[in-house]
Amino acid sequence: MAYEEPVTDYDKIVENCTCAFCGSNCDDLDYLVKDNRVVAVRHACRLGASKIMEDEDQRLIVPMIRDETGELVETDWDTALDKAAELIANAVRPLFYGWSETSIECMKKGLKLTEYVGAVIDNQATICHGPTVQAVQNVGYPLMTLGEVKNRADMVVYSGSNPMNAHPRHLSRYTMFPRGWFRPRGRYDRTLVTWDPKFSDTAKMSDIWVPFEENGDYEFVNAIRAVLKGKELKKDVIAGIPKEDIIELTEAMKNVEFGALFFGLGLTHTLSKQRNIDIAIQLVQDLNAYTKWVLLPMRGHFNVNGFNIFLSYEMGFPYGVDFCRGYPRYMIGETTTIDLLNRREPDVFMVIAADPGAHFPGGALAHLTNIPVIQIDIHWGPSTELADVVLPGTFIGVETAGTSYRMDSVPIHMKKAIDPPETCREDEWIVNELYERVKKIKEASK
Amino acid sequence: MEYILKNGIVYDPTNKVNGDKKDVMIKDGKIVDEVSSDAKVIDVTDKLVMAAGVDVHSHIAGPKLCVGRLYRPEDERRGVKPKTATTRAETGFSIPSCPTTGYRYSRMGYGTVTEAAVPPLEAKHTHEEIMAIPNIDISPLTLFGNNWFVLQYVKEGNLDDLAAFVSSWLKITKGYGIKCVNPCGSEAWGWGMNVHGIDDPAPYWDVTGRQVMRALVQVNEMLGLPHSMHVHTNDLGHPGNYETTLKTMDCVKDIKKNPSVSRDQIMHCTHLQFHAYGGTSWRDANSGAEPIADYINKHDHITCDVGQVTLDETTTMTADAPMEYDLYKLSGLKWANKDIELETASGLIPCIYSGKAPVSTLQWAIGLELFLLIKDPWKVVLTTDSPNAGPFLRYPRIISWLMSSDRRTEMMENKEVHKWATKRTSLGTLDRVYDWNDIATVTRSAPAKILGFKERGHLGVGANADVAVYDLEPEKFDPTKAANAPVVEDVLSRALYTIKDGQIVVKDGKIAKVVPSRHLWSNVQGFEKQEKKVLNDIMPMFNKYYTIKFENYKVHDHYIEPSIEYKVNASK
Ligand code: SF4
Ligand SMILES: [Zn+2]
């Protein structure tokens, strides 16, 4: 990394802005603004800063519609919105997917549209922490806010996640380095543990690294639980870890004052899927008989958790909710995006602030190429290649204010620092406009 | 719009109207004594008419609820109803979705509900949910009992700064009043511990529940808040805890009430049923209702609500997180927890109260004992601590129990409840029944008075036109008959009319109109200088130990639309 001169040429600083990238939702960023552009970002990590100062040539600026020749051509807002509304109004099984990188305010409008047309609404949890939610529904959910960890934790475990790369400020801002009320020496007062088959960047800086075998997660956690319950381990090596190490680790976990377990998709998406999370949650529950332990899933997008919270309080279910019968149904495997697409049910797909083009399995993508796709987003991505109508939104937390929920469910009002490009429209406005136009079409045809 | 509700049988205890045949007149959203000839006449001849209900303690909006909904889809699948021309779809039984909550309260004839526990850090979440609940105004109570700043001020004995802190935090969180849950116990839970009794200090802080409760009551009276300090006392759910409850009630009795307030009490003890157990373990547990009722009968500084067990499968949720872990150890059901930095903790667990089970029955009977042993209905409010002892939609069933001692006897004789009801409590010997005036008191007048609402819970001139009419003719109907209990329950579950601020929101048991709920909050005047000083004092600690910037911590105005601000003059 080359040395970069600090930016000194700016008009104003906007303080306490919230990063709209990972689920850490750092709300201490300062934006240096010049000529209505963010020219530098203070406090953010590299991921956050690069997202905020987004390459403008990736930016979607004007509405587009795919013409008969298959090319996306620029058009005006009215034409694009009418086209999208017509697709939605005439659809039998519309599916509205994404939402994890937009505001709660926009989700509200999206849900209104969903209920009105009887669509399915779903977010990225369906492909990322869905198994976590299932596990939580099986066995429970002992959580905390991140400040609890900062102020009290003397042991922090990361499993199946590599925050140094994916949530770069997680350790420095919340869990390991900050000086907490009861941990005045910060890092020196805490033990960092990583359970991961890979020697990740987080593992490299850990006090204890437990490299269990690939797909050994369940067996390994199960062994800790067994030791905790006073059972004797019958094998000398479990999931690649010597029995003595497991016993030692269990003792250490029992003897801390406050432990926190963070887990990521590495745990959620290996062989035993939600069973891994089941047992991790149960381990934390067991440990509470001895001392204080809590856990938290490392949520990826800055509002992926927000969507699950929002949909739960509005309609009782966290994601993958189908309104085609006039009431909400949530059946994993039935009403969830990938399953619907694999069964080729949806006849219109609207994607907002998400990139299925980059993340969906082949079968699901194949169906997307056969049906009309509407995209609402701020930048060009693989999904744009699939889109028939492209509606350029604005950047939440930079150009538009809005509410998000951090990975630990702390609600944050993300403020606006600059004006959006003139030709773009706020996500909330776009979705509401779609609702109004769909309603007009539906009512005219009654 | 003007209305005249003609010839109803009106119960309005606040104005000493006890079953008189009367017209109720409405103009511009208020109760008036005269309307023009344009007024629309609604014939309610001989029907039961009351002010809309007021709930003093319920959990309906906020982070705990959401954890519940997220991890209990099995509960959401109970109570699903499709959308209609006026309403959105409904889901949930004990933890309904937000719109469902509004519709259900509204259909029961309720108009105002207190959300009983708001953690300041996540107050925005509570207000977001309130925005999604229609048809009832909502007064959120802010949690203070385990807040680090509070503990610190209490330790220093610095009541002046504490008062300014509270007044400032009510503005920041847009809270209506002070809530205190298991003071010091939820902080101890930060280390997986609890406190026992009111004199057991929180680890490190060296402050006791007694000190915190006294300080918060004093501060509440210094500020002259409309509602009193609202406490969930230590030791909830533990056999033998009635002694802690008695000590709690007694420990504040010398504190002087602010002369400007309209309520009588200085402390409201919530869901007393959970705090009224005798014995030493669940094996020998029995009722502690008598000494508690006796204390309340002899003292005027305390009011309470019951937290009546309804014998349902429900979800328990409370800021008393250590208690929830105790329940987990007992039942092994899926346990959730949510600790909040510098402020509080909370826990959840599903709970199956069954009439076949001795402990559930004991709890059921103790709740009813409290209703029947506390002589003055102005001191006791009907609640289920929803959803803890049962969902609020069971209020009509509880009313049917209160109105019929025959029904209660029938339940005990038919073995609908376990024999502990008669063996371990005095319920079998209590033949008191509530009449409609008593019912109107414990669901309207008393909660409104306790909360300090002058414009709610009654039908006097100038009151909000929040009215409920039920499809029942009290003069021809005998609610004491056991066979009539299902009728009472049915009729009270679906109001003939619910009127909210002069608008008909329910007709024939169905939602007729959807209006936004207002956020009710207290804005203390006259402490601005002290508040500024306190904010300056605490800012270094705030910045260092919270994980959010102060600017992003507060509830911005757009989260409370529409709202009603209660200006409070702290000048004494
Ligand atoms: S850690 Fe996450 S939220 Fe914080 S600055 Fe980096 S990308 Fe943004
Ligand atoms: Zn409660």
Side-chain angles (χ1 to χ4, degrees), chain B residues 57 59 116 179 232 270-271 317 385 388:
Chain B
H57 186 112
H59 301 270
K179 174 77 182 300
H232 153 150
T270 189
H271 41 68
M317 53 178 67
D385 185 20
N388 284 296

Side-chain angles (χ1 to χ4, degrees), chain B residues 300-362:
Chain B
D300 288 330
H301 67 286
I302 299 288
T303 54
C304 72
D305 62 85
V306 170
Q308 175 63 38
V309 164
T310 63
L311 303 176
D312 285 290
E313 176 185 327
T314 188
T315 314
T316 66
M317 53 178 67
T318 167
D320 195 341
M323 195 280 305
E324 294 285 359
Y325 190 72
D326 290 345
L327 284 182
Y328 167 66
K329 284 190 285 187
L330 282 176
S331 75
L333 295 176
K334 55 186 181 186
W335 165 64
N337 181 76
K338 174 83 184 276
D339 297 341
I340 301 201
E341 62 207 61
L342 287 85
E343 294 179 355
T344 182
S346 71
L348 291 92
I349 197 161
C351 184
I352 302 160
Y353 294 101
S354 159
K356 299 215 161 42
V359 172
S360 306
T361 298
L362 179 67

Side-chain angles (χ1 to χ4, degrees), chain A residues 204-216:
Chain A
K204 281 177 202 153
M205 57 190 299
S206 298
D207 303 299
I208 302 171
W209 172 44
V210 187
F212 54 68
E213 308 168 333
E214 296 275 350
N215 290 326

Side-chain angles (χ1 to χ4, degrees), chain B residues 222-381:
Chain B
M222 284 162 76
L223 298 174
L225 296 175
H227 185 34
S228 65
M229 202 275 266
H230 189 118
V231 71
H232 153 150
T233 67
N234 298 110
D235 289 337
L236 179 142
H238 297 160
N241 64 5
Y242 82 93
E243 290 183 38
T244 300
T245 310
L246 289 174
K247 275 190 209 154
T248 301
M249 296 193 292
D250 210 50
C251 87
V252 297
K253 86 169 169 239
D254 59 302
I255 298 169
K256 290 274 157 307
K257 187 165 66 104
N258 186 308
S260 71
V261 300
S262 58
R263 58 184 151 82
D264 290 332
Q265 88 282 6
I266 54 166
M267 188 161 82
H268 179 81
C269 295
T270 189
H271 41 68
L272 265 191
Q273 175 274 128
F274 286 121
H275 307 268
Y277 306 148
T280 57
S281 74
W282 284 119
R283 216 157 297 166
D284 68 357
N286 56 27
S287 170
E290 260 183 61
I292 288 180
D294 192 48
Y295 187 95
I296 293 178
N297 287 335
K298 290 187 179 128
H299 296 85
D300 288 330
H301 67 286
I302 299 288
T303 54
C304 72
D305 62 85
V306 170
Q308 175 63 38
V309 164
T310 63
L311 303 176
D312 285 290
E313 176 185 327
T314 188
T315 314
T316 66
M317 53 178 67
T318 167
D320 195 341
M323 195 280 305
E324 294 285 359
Y325 190 72
D326 290 345
L327 284 182
Y328 167 66
K329 284 190 285 187
L330 282 176
S331 75
L333 295 176
K334 55 186 181 186
W335 165 64
N337 181 76
K338 174 83 184 276
D339 297 341
I340 301 201
E341 62 207 61
L342 287 85
E343 294 179 355
T344 182
S346 71
L348 291 92
I349 197 161
C351 184
I352 302 160
Y353 294 101
S354 159
K356 299 215 161 42
V359 172
S360 306
T361 298
L362 179 67
Q363 294 176 303
W364 171 81
I366 289 172
L368 291 173
E369 279 189 296
L370 287 168
F371 274 117
L372 300 170
L373 291 171
I374 296 172
K375 292 189 186 122
D376 181 357
W378 285 88
K379 290 181 175 175
V380 53
V381 180

Side-chain angles (χ1 to χ4, degrees), chain B residues 175-193:
Chain B
Y176 181 75
I178 302 178
K179 174 77 182 300
C180 172
V181 175
N182 187 11
C184 302
S186 302
E187 167 54 23
W189 180 244
W191 304 114
M193 300 183 238

Side-chain angles (χ1 to χ4, degrees), chain A residues 19-26 29 43-45 47-48 166-170:
Chain A
C19 176
F21 189 72
C22 85
S24 302
N25 298 42
C26 300
L29 310 192
H43 307 313
C45 69
L47 287 181
H167 301 79
R169 295 181 74 209
H170 204 262

Side-chain angles (χ1 to χ4, degrees), chain A residues 15-18 27-28 104-105 108 111 115-118 133 136-148 150-152 173-174 179-183 257-258 282 284-289 291-294 308-310 312-318 323 325-328 330-331 402-403 405-406 408-413 415, chain B residues 63 66-67 69-74 76-77 80-83 88-91 95-100 121-126 128-129 131-132 148 152 186-192 203-205 325 328-329 333-345 541 543-554 556 558-559:
Chain A
E15 292 183 332
N16 304 331
C17 297
T18 306
D27 74 324
D28 61 342
I104 300 289
E105 289 76 5
K108 269 184 202 167
L111 181 57
E115 291 175 62
Y116 181 68
V117 300
V133 178
V136 159
Q137 293 170 351
N138 286 342
V139 293
Y141 208 18
L143 302 170
M144 72 304 164
T145 65
L146 289 161
E148 281 289 282
K150 162 162 139 177
N151 288 318
R152 298 186 203 264
R173 202 168 129 78
Y174 302 122
R179 295 157 191 266
W181 182 265
F182 295 103
R183 303 292 161 217
E257 289 178 332
F258 186 112
Q282 286 174 304
V284 166
Q285 291 173 331
D286 292 347
L287 280 164
N288 272 280
T291 186
K292 179 78 182 188
W293 271 85
V294 290
N308 301 141
I309 288 174
F310 163 78
S312 299
Y313 73 66
E314 291 275 355
M315 281 293 138
F317 301 110
F323 286 85
R325 296 186 188 166
Y327 56 87
Y330 161 67
M331 310 281 279
T403 308
Y405 287 80
R406 207 162 71 182
D408 58 350
S409 305
V410 170
I412 299 178
H413 173 66
K415 59 186 192 186
Chain B
C66 230
V67 171
R69 297 183 191 106
L70 190 107
Y71 98 131
R72 291 207 70 197
E74 69 276 17
E76 298 310 316
R77 292 190 180 110
V80 172
K81 272 194 189 171
K83 67 175 179 181
R88 300 170 69 191
E90 296 183 26
T91 49
I95 29 180
S97 69
C98 289
T100 312
L121 177 62
E122 301 194 349
K124 276 189 221 70
H125 181 167
T126 303
E128 278 222 310
E129 291 204 12
M131 288 196 288
W148 287 5
Q152 206 156 29
S186 302
E187 167 54 23
W189 180 244
W191 304 114
Y204 170 83
W205 298 94
Y325 190 72
Y328 167 66
K329 284 190 285 187
L333 295 176
K334 55 186 181 186
W335 165 64
N337 181 76
K338 174 83 184 276
D339 297 341
I340 301 201
E341 62 207 61
L342 287 85
E343 294 179 355
T344 182
M541 179 164 159
N543 287 332
K544 204 157 165 205
Y545 301 111
Y546 269 102
T547 54
I548 182 170
K549 288 284 173 184
F550 185 69
E551 186 188 344
N552 299 326
Y553 176 80
K554 64 172 187 259
H556 307 70
H558 66 267
Y559 290 107

